[in-house]
Amino acid sequence: TAQKLRLCIKDQDASGSLVDEFGMTPFHVLCSTAEASRELLQVLLDNYPYYVLGWKNANDKLATDYLVSNWTPGNKTLLQMTLQSWMFSRLENWGTTSW
C-alpha cells in the first residue's frame, strides 16, 4: 500500500543507494510491473528528487521506457504524471513557476 511504501522510504538509510545491482531505481521497479499503481507512483514522485527519473539502468533504459514498452491504457496516466513531475520540477528550479 501507499502508506507502507511511505514508511519504507522514511526508514530507508539516508546514505543508502537508490539503485540495485542492475541500476534499477524504485521508479524502474514500479514501472516495470505488469500493473503499476498510480498511488504508488505518486508516493515515489513525492519522496524522490525529479532527476532520479533521468537515471538509466544497466540495460540503458529509463523508468519511463518500461511504461512505454509495456503499454496499457493505465500507463498513459502514469506516463503523464511522471513527465509532468519531471518537467515542472525543472521549471521550479529555474524560478519560473509564476508563468
Side-chain angles (χ1 to χ4, degrees):
T1 66
Q3 184 60 28
K4 286 182 182 179
L5 180 57
R6 281 187 200 93
L7 290 173
C8 287
I9 292 170
K10 183 180 175 184
D11 292 340
Q12 182 181 17
D13 182 6
S15 63
S17 176
L18 286 178
V19 297
D20 65 12
E21 60 270 13
F22 302 106
M24 302 274 280
T25 68
F27 291 104
H28 285 95
V29 174
L30 178 67
C31 293
S32 65
T33 61
E35 291 186 35
S37 163
R38 181 178 185 208
E39 187 178 22
L40 295 180
L41 177 59
Q42 190 60 56
V43 171
L44 295 179
L45 292 171
D46 291 343
N47 287 280
Y48 290 114
Y50 74 91
Y51 56 82
V52 175
L53 291 166
W55 293 357
K56 292 185 177 184
N57 66 9
N59 292 321
D60 203 36
K61 288 189 173 192
L62 298 168
T64 53
D65 292 335
Y66 289 99
L67 289 176
V68 173
S69 64
N70 300 324
W71 192 253
T72 66
N75 281 359
K76 177 183 177 183
T77 301
L78 300 178
L79 187 59
Q80 288 172 332
M81 288 172 60
T82 303
L83 294 176
Q84 285 177 344
S85 175
W86 186 57
M87 292 308 297
F88 285 123
S89 293
R90 286 177 174 224
L91 290 174
E92 286 174 3
N93 287 341
W94 293 344
T96 56
T97 55
S98 62
W99 289 359

